[in-house]
Amino acid sequence: MIVIRDKKLDKYNLAGTTDILTAAFKDDPLYQAIFQNERELRRYLKLMLDYFNENGEIHTAVVNDEIVGVSIWNFKGTPFFSIRNALTSGMFGEIFKFLMITQVKSLIKLKNEGLITERYHYKREHHYLFMIGSVKKGAGRLLMEYAIGKFSECPIYLENSNIKDNKIFYERLEFHSIKTIDVMGISVDLLTNGKRELL
């Protein structure tokens, strides 16, 4: 039986969630376009997990104390990533490690991806799903159902960079596309479970 946990993670569980997200996103078209190799992707995911563990929310799907799925949420109304918040959270070492192993080309692509998606980011008040991944069937659905219940006071917004594999998953959860954009040659669907509207 899959149980959803909603609490800060310790170092051991952060390592496990990094493994899960790396497995889930290593074949994602957008991340393949940004990062040169899986090592760069893994270090980026570790940085984001450390950041959101202090400055957002991380939900985990657990079976017999083993994490099998994870979703990362930005706090409503806060910027996606703040260097100031990262540094005050004691993340200088993680930022330095990420910069040391990541090629300049990947850093430029990551920055460009952020600039493009920020331009179209949902303008209404919302909860932002930064990332979700799982290694067990049903874990992703349970994570989303938990979040939909928890964040019911306003819509959820997300960017789906793997339309081919995830379109039906989000449609079944009653998300709809408000716009599809091009990010470095990859089609990215902007989705919400709010009222139907176009950006």
Side-chain angles (χ1 to χ4, degrees):
M1 181 175 153
I2 301 173
V3 176
I4 305 301
R5 291 186 183 159
D6 180 357
K7 61 182 181 180
K8 287 200 182 300
L9 303 177
D10 59 24
K11 287 185 179 183
Y12 172 77
N13 286 322
L14 280 169
T17 54
T18 303
D19 292 341
I20 287 165
L21 289 179
T22 302
F25 282 88
K26 66 184 173 61
D27 296 324
D28 182 273
L30 184 58
Y31 287 105
Q32 283 187 333
I34 292 171
F35 295 109
Q36 304 301 304
N37 54 57
E38 195 173 310
R39 185 173 175 233
E40 286 185 352
L41 171 64
R42 182 179 179 76
R43 182 55 71 179
Y44 170 73
L45 295 171
K46 182 171 184 343
L47 178 66
M48 292 298 102
L49 281 161
D50 285 344
Y51 178 79
F52 283 105
N53 199 39
E54 294 300 323
N55 300 287
E57 288 190 23
I58 298 176
H59 303 163
T60 52
V62 180
V63 175
N64 298 326
D65 277 337
E66 180 184 347
I67 296 173
V68 295
V70 58
S71 60
I72 303 175
W73 296 87
N74 196 53
F75 281 142
K76 180 175 67 171
T78 60
F80 153 65
F81 182 80
S82 160
I83 291 292
R84 177 191 287 173
N85 285 352
L87 293 175
T88 57
S89 300
M91 293 182 57
F92 177 80
E94 275 306 310
I95 293 170
F96 182 74
K97 287 175 192 172
F98 173 66
L99 294 174
M100 289 304 293
I101 72 151
T102 307
Q103 295 182 30
V104 173
K105 185 191 298 185
S106 300
L107 292 172
I108 291 169
K109 288 179 179 179
L110 186 60
K111 178 65 174 170
N112 289 341
E113 181 270 336
L115 291 172
I116 294 166
T117 54
E118 282 174 26
R119 185 183 319 150
Y120 295 100
H121 201 91
Y122 196 49
K123 303 295 186 259
R124 296 181 180 274
E125 186 177 50
H126 64 277
H127 291 279
Y128 178 48
L129 173 63
F130 172 64
M131 188 172 276
I132 184 170
S134 68
V135 292
K136 183 170 180 62
K137 188 170 178 58
R141 180 181 53 81
L142 289 175
L143 282 163
M144 286 303 296
E145 287 174 350
Y146 174 82
I148 289 165
K150 180 175 182 177
F151 302 140
S152 60
E153 84 283 359
C154 66
I156 291 170
Y157 167 78
L158 63 99
E159 294 118 0
N160 176 16
S161 56
N162 194 345
I163 297 171
K164 179 176 167 271
D165 291 345
N166 298 330
K167 182 178 176 62
I168 292 171
F169 171 78
Y170 288 115
E171 285 177 349
R172 286 181 177 159
L173 291 164
E174 299 185 2
F175 282 78
H176 61 273
S177 175
I178 48 179
K179 190 172 186 69
T180 301
I181 62 173
D182 182 280
V183 182
M184 296 180 296
I186 308 298
S187 292
V188 175
D189 224 358
L190 311 182
L191 301 169
T192 182
N193 64 345
K195 67 178 187 177
R196 293 194 172 267
E197 60 186 313
L198 296 176
L199 285 178

